[in-house]
Amino acid sequence: MTTGPGRELLRVEGLTKSFGATRALDSVGLTIHAGEVLAVVGHNGSGKSTLVKILAGFHTADHGVIDLRAGSGEPTELRFIHQDLGLVETLSTRENLGLGGGRSGRAWLPLRTAAERRLARELTAQFGVDIDVDALVQELSPAERTIVAIARALRGWDSGRTMLLVLDEPTAALHGAEVDRLMAVVRRVAERGAGVLFISHRLDEVLGVADTVLALRNGQVAGHLPCAEVDYAGLVELVAGKAVGTLERRAATAGDPVLRVRGLAGRSITGLDVTVHAGEIVGLAGILGSGRDEVCSMIFGGRQRSAGSVELTGNPLAPGDLRSAIRHGAAFVPGDRHADGAVMTMTAAENLMTVRVPGTESRWRRISKGHEAGEAATWFATCGVLPARPAMELSQFSGGNQQKVVLAKWLRTRPRLLLLEEPTQGVDVGAKATIHQLIAETAGGGTAVLVASSEAKELAELCDRVLVLADGVVTAELTGAELTESRILRASVPA
Ligand SMILES: Nc1ncnc2c1ncn2[C@@H]1O[C@H](COP(=O)(O)OP(=O)(O)OP(=O)(O)O)[C@@H](O)[C@H]1O
Ligand SMILES: [Mg+2]
């Protein structure tokens, strides 16, 4: 912050909220001033989204004060981007951006459509991406959807009114350069006098953009301080309660080829060849639009291929035949758990059991409640799902814990091929280390792992080999000493 704090936009005092026996927020207080970027950090389930949902009026607090007129008489206008983005999947980007935006009833429909299209293009272009604004949101990649949600929240933001922009993990699916671009937008919003409250698990990005940080632990404030007074290691300790080590990977002893992909082509990808051996972890890096996001789902069979062949231990995998892919030992943790990873209205345990273990659990026999409970106890402990309440509906778990349930579901099948997209999106630093360890152990047991991630650092730590994609083709293959975060980032930029 170069100038002193502006006027107070929001004051929260003694905010408390319980869900049954869970105290999600316990007497939380905070302030945000005009021009200030406040980052809210904390472990999965620490109460961050609950705070945002109370501000949004989605939940009612049990106690506490929320003062939006703190500085003067004029109330602060709040704008939100929630963790699940809140887009209507079956409408286009253009329509999503037009939603709730004071349409004029007298406007001619075609004119309005053309105007909306122009506005939609302008808004998404701010992020330097070329999104087809007439395509349905469900056809966009997770990162593209994030950008649409952000564009929608920012619409008209420079209208001169006092505004507080609230973002719940806006960057979970974005890659290095995309995160930087978004963070630049966040800073610009603050420089123009708005306040920004944003939630993130990427602690390095927090320190790069925020003025102040609020750390929550089990619903309580563990720290509220200027970013200048804390470094990365300090922030990790505030969140995790301890220092977190990095993964030590032994070099893989490459086994037999498990996955063989030849000439794969799709929306962005053209002619991809990749072989993954037993025990090997291969990464897919690349910026938004590079094709990184589509490879795993094309291999698994959910996404159409325009050309190419996929073989899993010698068995051809046909597009659309997910059942046979699973039978041959494939598992797929998708990047968008809301769209295809999980059923929010089922319990966590039911979600765990939606995929049968090939060879041991018959598709025709009912799963007994006892078996389900046993499996849930084992796998949720392994993956660190909290609270340990397998009978709770998935929607009631925090975002990071939902991600752990999806991961547990697929690890349970003891796959020969594990396809992962953004495996640690939304999970806290401590849980991330646990998940990396789990993936490494799974590979250690002879599974072939292919992991697509927007986080170069994650790939550099986790993988034996990384393929960097740009404009749909492999531009670099990095192993050994060459496999570093900066090399991945450099190779990701299209020529
Ligand atoms: N509707 C609900 N019903 C029951 N419990 C809930 C509900 N919403 C949240 N909780 C619980 O409240 C606690 C805080 O959840 P919250 O979503 O605020 O966490 P979070 O800090 O946003 O975590 P994450 O980083 O994983 O998104 C968790 O234990 C969660 O399971
Ligand atoms: Mg959350």
Side-chain angles (χ1 to χ4, degrees):
M1 227 179 331
T2 42
T3 52
R7 80 174 185 85
E8 209 168 278
L9 297 179
L10 169 71
R11 170 176 291 272
V12 170
E13 284 169 11
L15 203 66
T16 300
K17 173 74 183 174
S18 295
F19 297 103
T22 306
R23 176 151 289 196
L25 290 177
D26 189 355
S27 207
V28 167
L30 64 94
T31 54
I32 301 183
H33 301 83
E36 177 182 345
V37 179
L38 172 74
V40 179
V41 300
H43 62 80
N44 295 131
S46 58
K48 304 178 298 294
S49 294
T50 303
L51 170 66
V52 167
K53 286 177 183 166
I54 291 174
L55 291 176
F58 183 78
H59 291 314
T60 315
D62 302 333
H63 304 286
V65 178
I66 296 173
D67 187 356
L68 288 170
R69 293 174 182 268
S72 74
E74 190 200 347
T76 304
E77 184 190 348
L78 295 176
R79 302 226 178 160
F80 293 91
I81 299 172
H82 292 289
Q83 197 161 11
D84 59 7
L85 301 182
L87 298 170
V88 183
E89 308 255 321
T90 50
L91 293 180
S92 68
T93 295
R94 174 178 61 74
E95 289 163 315
N96 267 282
L97 290 172
L99 284 178
R103 297 177 178 208
S104 157
R106 276 176 300 170
W108 286 64
L109 200 62
L111 280 181
R112 197 175 70 195
T113 305
E116 276 181 358
R117 183 174 296 130
R118 208 174 324 113
L119 179 68
R121 287 207 185 111
E122 271 169 34
L123 284 166
T124 51
Q126 289 176 18
F127 299 94
V129 287
D130 189 12
I131 294 176
D132 174 4
V133 298
D134 289 307
L136 299 186
V137 162
Q138 66 192 10
E139 287 163 18
L140 301 178
S141 74
E144 288 170 333
R145 285 178 216 191
T146 310
I147 284 169
V148 173
I150 292 163
R152 186 176 62 173
L154 285 179
R155 228 183 41 153
W157 67 271
D158 54 355
S159 59
R161 280 168 300 183
T162 2
M163 199 239 318
L164 175 63
L165 180 66
V166 181
L167 306 105
D168 193 349
E169 283 190 62
T171 56
L174 303 188
H175 184 270
E178 296 144 20
V179 172
D180 294 347
R181 211 179 295 141
L182 171 63
M183 289 300 125
V185 173
V186 162
R187 278 265 44 123
R188 216 156 53 222
V189 173
E191 273 155 24
R192 295 219 196 151
V196 180
L197 184 159
F198 87 104
I199 292 176
S200 179
H201 288 293
R202 295 189 175 187
L203 302 180
D204 41 0
E205 118 198 344
V206 163
L207 289 172
V209 76
D211 299 299
T212 34
V213 58
L214 176 81
L216 294 178
R217 190 176 306 156
N218 299 326
Q220 294 179 336
V221 176
H224 184 193
L225 66 172
C227 285
E229 290 177 19
V230 67
D231 61 5
Y232 181 77
L235 209 49
V236 170
E237 283 207 50
L238 264 183
V239 171
K242 58 176 170 31
V244 173
T246 48
L247 184 72
E248 305 244 332
R249 280 267 293 145
R250 42 119 205 83
T253 43
D256 296 333
V258 171
L259 174 71
R260 205 190 290 267
V261 174
R262 292 293 173 266
L264 191 69
R267 192 169 76 133
S268 317
I269 287 292
T270 45
L272 178 78
D273 293 338
V274 57
T275 302
V276 186
H277 301 84
E280 195 184 21
I281 305 180
V282 174
L284 292 169
I287 62 168
L288 180 57
S290 63
R292 171 199 83 209
D293 297 339
E294 60 187 60
V295 174
C296 287
S297 52
M298 280 198 292
I299 291 172
F300 191 60
R303 187 189 281 268
Q304 280 304 321
R305 315 166 190 149
S306 54
S309 66
V310 175
E311 263 180 37
L312 173 51
T313 52
N315 304 289
L317 298 188
D321 193 356
L322 308 186
R323 191 165 285 159
S324 114
I326 294 167
R327 200 175 55 239
H328 289 306
F332 174 46
V333 177
D336 186 350
R337 63 177 172 258
H338 285 275
D340 38 23
V343 186
M344 291 295 154
T345 51
M346 291 189 345
T347 70
E350 285 164 353
N351 267 281
L352 183 75
M353 305 306 281
T354 49
V355 186
R356 300 287 165 96
V357 179
T360 61
E361 289 167 355
S362 156
R363 193 153 61 83
W364 310 112
R365 190 124 33 90
R366 258 197 62 221
I367 299 267
S368 77
K369 282 288 160 197
H371 180 56
E372 179 180 293
E375 290 290 285
T378 307
W379 283 98
F380 291 169
T382 305
C383 295
V385 176
L386 288 172
R389 290 174 54 199
M392 189 161 88
E393 200 175 271
L394 194 65
S395 64
Q396 298 181 348
F397 284 84
S398 77
N401 284 293
Q402 291 169 2
Q403 177 69 14
K404 295 179 210 166
V405 171
V406 175
L407 190 70
K409 170 173 89 176
W410 288 107
L411 287 180
R412 192 183 81 91
T413 67
R414 305 215 175 270
R416 307 175 85 163
L417 170 67
L418 181 58
L419 301 162
L420 302 163
E421 275 176 9
E422 306 292 342
T424 59
Q425 64 176 323
V427 307
D428 64 58
V429 282
K432 189 169 185 167
T434 310
I435 290 176
H436 284 173
Q437 192 66 48
L438 269 172
I439 295 171
E441 281 167 17
T442 305
T447 300
V449 181
L450 185 64
V451 50
S453 174
S454 53
E455 245 186 285
K457 186 163 177 282
E458 165 161 77
L459 293 175
E461 278 170 20
L462 190 60
C463 298
D464 301 302
R465 180 157 60 97
V466 170
L467 305 184
V468 185
L469 299 168
D471 292 334
V473 294
V474 175
T475 54
E477 181 165 344
L478 304 169
T479 50
E482 285 185 344
L483 180 45
T484 62
E485 182 183 0
S486 63
R487 288 293 293 264
I488 294 174
L489 289 174
R490 252 183 292 149
S492 302
V493 184

